[in-house]
Amino acid sequence: MTGGNGGIGLGMAEGIAQAGGSVSVWGRNDDKNAAAVGALSRIAAESRTDPVFTSHVCDVSDEAQVRECMDRTVSEHGRLDGLFANAGRGGTGTPFLELSLDEWRAVMAVNLDGVFLTLREAARVLVEQGSGGSLVAVSSTSAVHGAAGNEAYGTAKTGVNGLVRALAVGLARHRIRVNSLLPGWTITDLASGGYENDVFRTATVKRTPVRRWADPSEFRAVGAFLADPSQTYHTGQEICVDGGYTVF
């Protein structure tokens, strides 16, 4: 689980832990990684399961780090059954007419290139193992409603959806299913600026039919579902968990 030490990534990892699955948390902050592993271990103990939890410091925009962490993870766990490309960063908020190429590329490096790198390395392992598996990329509702003022972020997340569709077709012969998750407004560190802004929070809540933001724990079930090895016929889909935001 890249970016699995907090927010939606940790929520999905918690769901997998509740279901008895082992998880390797990848994140850039070692202390947060360790705290996430502790939280997963407590959940597993409550669920009376005995999975294995590990963590690695990884910048997903760095190809060498992604390869090294994949090798170490597979070595520690013995095999790979799936990967959630969840790590991401926010946009700069710079007006489009003032947006620099460097700012554009900095967002793309994590939110699109990082997804490509982690999915590619995971796919290589899954194909070599020959027993199928699950690849999941976390996109955004910004790929649906248009992210004016945050064009790099929205474009990267739209690209993620295109990559997922292509991989779902190309990897099906290897029994690898590939799906994307589009979360709505969720209370996370990444979105804290928007949530703490009274005007922005009120506007987004009014547009969301369930009239609130999500808690990361609400992504536990969808994480377990997307990782479930029995779901062999489910691929190429965009799973939107947004409280109805994109249809209102």
Side-chain angles (χ1 to χ4, degrees), residues 3 5 26-31 33 56-60 65 88-89 110:
N5 59 18
W26 294 10
R28 293 189 299 174
N29 185 309
D30 194 33
D31 290 337
N33 289 353
H56 297 287
V57 174
C58 184
D59 178 350
V60 297
Q65 288 189 38
R89 54 155 292 172
V110 177

Side-chain angles (χ1 to χ4, degrees), residues 7-236:
I8 293 169
L10 180 55
M12 292 190 293
E14 289 171 345
I16 295 170
Q18 282 182 325
S22 297
V23 181
S24 182
V25 171
W26 294 10
R28 293 189 299 174
N29 185 309
D30 194 33
D31 290 337
K32 288 184 67 177
N33 289 353
V37 167
L40 296 177
S41 298
R42 289 190 292 274
I43 287 173
E46 293 170 0
S47 302
R48 297 183 180 180
T49 59
D50 191 27
V52 174
F53 302 116
T54 62
S55 67
H56 297 287
V57 174
C58 184
D59 178 350
V60 297
S61 68
D62 186 311
E63 185 173 19
Q65 288 189 38
V66 171
R67 284 178 167 171
E68 179 183 358
C69 287
M70 183 59 70
D71 288 343
R72 292 173 62 188
T73 298
V74 174
S75 176
E76 290 168 340
H77 289 261
R79 61 177 289 106
L80 181 72
D81 294 299
L83 178 131
F84 285 70
N86 167 74
R89 54 155 292 172
T92 62
T94 304
F96 183 68
L97 300 184
E98 302 170 15
L99 186 64
S100 70
L101 183 59
D102 285 343
E103 288 177 299
W104 175 272
R105 286 176 171 168
V107 175
M108 292 293 168
V110 177
N111 290 1
L112 187 55
D113 296 347
V115 172
F116 155 69
L117 290 171
T118 49
L119 291 182
R120 186 193 65 186
E121 293 308 305
R124 285 174 171 173
V125 174
L126 293 176
V127 169
E128 183 178 358
Q129 290 177 168
S131 53
S134 173
L135 299 178
V136 180
V138 176
S139 179
S140 168
T141 55
S142 294
V144 177
H145 61 67
N150 210 0
E151 290 82 7
Y153 181 87
T155 300
K157 295 301 188 177
T158 302
V160 165
N161 291 341
L163 176 60
V164 163
R165 288 192 292 269
L167 294 180
V169 175
L171 296 175
R173 70 195 67 182
H174 299 288
R175 292 180 291 158
I176 299 171
R177 58 199 186 280
V178 191
N179 296 286
S180 61
L181 173 67
L182 282 64
W185 296 108
T186 306
I187 305 170
T188 65
D189 289 343
L190 187 64
S192 61
Y195 188 74
E196 293 166 4
N197 183 305
D198 292 341
V199 173
F200 185 82
R201 185 181 65 254
T202 299
T204 52
V205 167
K206 283 183 176 180
R207 183 176 161 175
T208 304
V210 302
R211 294 296 189 267
R212 63 178 178 83
W213 282 37
D215 185 86
S217 64
E218 295 181 87
F219 290 87
R220 288 182 175 185
V222 74
F225 169 76
L226 289 169
D228 186 347
S230 72
Q231 301 299 322
T232 57
Y233 203 61
H234 179 248
T235 195

